[in-house]
Amino acid sequence: FFGFYPLQELVVEEPFGIDRPGIIPPIAQAETKIVSAFPPETLAKKGAIDKYGDLLLIENNLIIFSGNTIYGFDVSDTTNPQEIWKMELEEQNQIVSSRLYQGVIYLVTRTNINKITSCPMPLTLGSNSISIPCIDIYRPNYPISVDSTFTVLTIDPKNGVVKNKVSFVGSANLSVVYMSPNAIYITYTQFTEITKIFYDFFDAKGKDLLPGEILGKLKKLNAYDISLSAKFTELQVILESYYGSLNSDERLRIENEVANRLSDYTKEKARELEKTGIVKVAVSDLTISATGEVPGRPLN
């Protein structure tokens, strides 16, 4: 719907003839240049701003998305641009995407959920800081695994004032944003945990390949509330411990049988193992007008 083309210059200067391991050469400060580009024969630099990033230009207001901070500059005097507002996102937040429509900025952010102190959810810093009460965060009416909260905000580009906002839970994986004149669509892709895949596989297709005791351990592991990496490590330990108790011929037979059956199982269950949630937000009033879920993931 709208592409960003950052006007920036990053110059790395290496001292001539110097090669010192461990010595980092100086890096010139990146900046946004204001250039008089037409007609080409009179090309000239008019001014510069010591900030850089993705850009939006709305009349005489230049908006710079620089990391977790958004700057608004008045560039009516191109030789002397003035910062007129700034919005700084809290550390756990990041910008997913933004759009400009009818003179309003639509900003999509994602916040990592803090399971210890989750309410209220801090969004921006500063004197006019914004936080989202948990009772204002939408969730689907069916269980999903969530690790993030998405927020859509409308911002006045002239002064940085947030006019409206809406938040909902989702997952940080592979988010795609699409905007039409009537709605903003935000997606998040979810993958089935590897320990659940293995347990469901052995329970449905491989009970003859594992002793009941090992299957019971996988069932307990699947229910643990620990990190995915810890679960995966423990899964490897459990299976390797069992495989190590077999003689070489039996181990080879079991491993080959597991690989063949698991391949068939994942093909059969492919539409269930990877799903994408879609949230439709109305442009007119930032209400969530629809939600849905489809197999697979969007390419872009």
Side-chain angles (χ1 to χ4, degrees):
F1 190 78
F2 189 92
F4 288 145
Y5 299 91
L7 305 178
Q8 64 185 54
E9 179 177 273
L10 181 61
V11 180
V12 179
E13 298 179 349
E14 297 183 6
F16 179 74
I18 296 178
D19 183 14
R20 299 178 182 175
I23 300 297
I24 301 176
I27 300 177
Q29 174 65 47
E31 61 179 17
T32 298
K33 299 182 187 298
I34 302 176
V35 177
S36 175
F38 300 99
E41 57 267 22
T42 62
L43 183 71
K45 176 181 174 182
K46 304 288 289 185
I49 299 172
D50 64 350
K51 306 290 187 296
Y52 67 97
D54 291 336
L55 308 177
L56 285 177
L57 181 63
I58 307 103
E59 297 178 346
N60 289 322
N61 297 292
L62 177 65
I63 314 303
I64 303 179
F65 299 83
S66 182
N68 259 26
T69 305
I70 306 170
Y71 298 91
F73 281 86
D74 180 355
V75 292
S76 53
D77 180 359
T78 56
T79 63
N80 185 32
Q82 298 293 317
E83 181 181 321
I84 52 178
W85 62 268
K86 179 174 77 171
M87 176 185 292
E88 188 175 2
L89 297 181
E90 197 272 346
E91 186 178 2
Q92 291 179 315
N93 297 272
Q94 65 181 115
I95 296 173
V96 177
S97 189
S98 59
R99 299 291 189 272
L100 174 65
Y101 183 60
Q102 294 187 342
V104 176
I105 297 172
Y106 292 82
L107 179 70
V108 181
T109 68
R110 182 173 59 232
T111 307
N112 296 325
I113 292 177
N114 184 333
K115 295 184 179 181
I116 307 300
T117 57
S118 56
C119 296
M121 185 189 74
L123 192 64
T124 64
L125 303 173
S127 57
N128 296 318
S129 62
I130 299 172
S131 60
I132 312 293
C134 284
I135 59 173
D136 291 344
I137 300 175
Y138 285 79
R139 61 175 179 80
N141 57 5
Y142 52 87
I144 62 170
S145 176
V146 301
D147 56 29
S148 304
T149 298
F150 291 86
T151 301
V152 183
L153 308 96
T154 53
I155 303 172
D156 187 334
K158 296 179 181 179
N159 52 30
V161 172
V162 174
K163 296 182 175 181
N164 203 354
K165 60 186 181 296
V166 65
S167 299
F168 58 91
V169 295
S171 173
N173 290 318
L174 304 173
S175 299
V176 174
V177 175
Y178 171 76
M179 183 172 179
S180 73
N182 298 317
I184 303 170
Y185 300 86
I186 299 142
T187 76
Y188 54 90
T189 301
Q190 295 190 310
F191 304 93
T192 302
E193 291 184 12
I194 188 67
T195 52
K196 177 173 172 53
I197 292 174
F198 267 85
Y199 171 71
D200 289 349
F201 159 69
F202 281 116
D203 188 50
K205 302 290 186 179
K207 285 184 177 179
D208 59 316
L209 301 177
L210 291 181
E213 176 188 357
I214 301 300
L215 187 61
K217 288 184 178 181
L218 294 183
K219 183 177 182 179
K220 288 182 180 179
L221 176 63
N222 185 44
Y224 287 162
D225 185 16
I226 56 177
S227 69
L228 297 182
S229 59
K231 278 189 174 184
F232 182 64
T233 299
E234 187 61 23
L235 172 67
Q236 292 177 306
V237 170
I238 292 173
L239 293 180
E240 182 57 35
S241 176
Y242 170 60
Y243 292 153
S245 68
L246 306 173
N247 63 50
S248 57
D249 290 340
E250 184 65 7
R251 173 168 183 158
L252 182 60
R253 184 188 74 81
I254 294 294
E255 287 181 334
N256 285 338
E257 193 65 25
V258 168
N260 292 333
R261 293 189 198 180
L262 185 61
S263 177
D264 293 339
Y265 177 81
T266 53
K267 289 178 182 177
E268 176 187 337
K269 299 290 185 179
R271 293 172 67 85
E272 300 174 22
L273 301 180
E274 182 182 68
K275 295 183 179 181
T276 294
I278 306 172
V279 178
K280 178 182 179 182
V281 179
V283 167
S284 58
D285 57 3
L286 285 198
T287 57
I288 294 180
S289 54
T291 63
E293 186 179 76
V294 295
R297 56 184 167 181
L299 295 178
N300 50 51

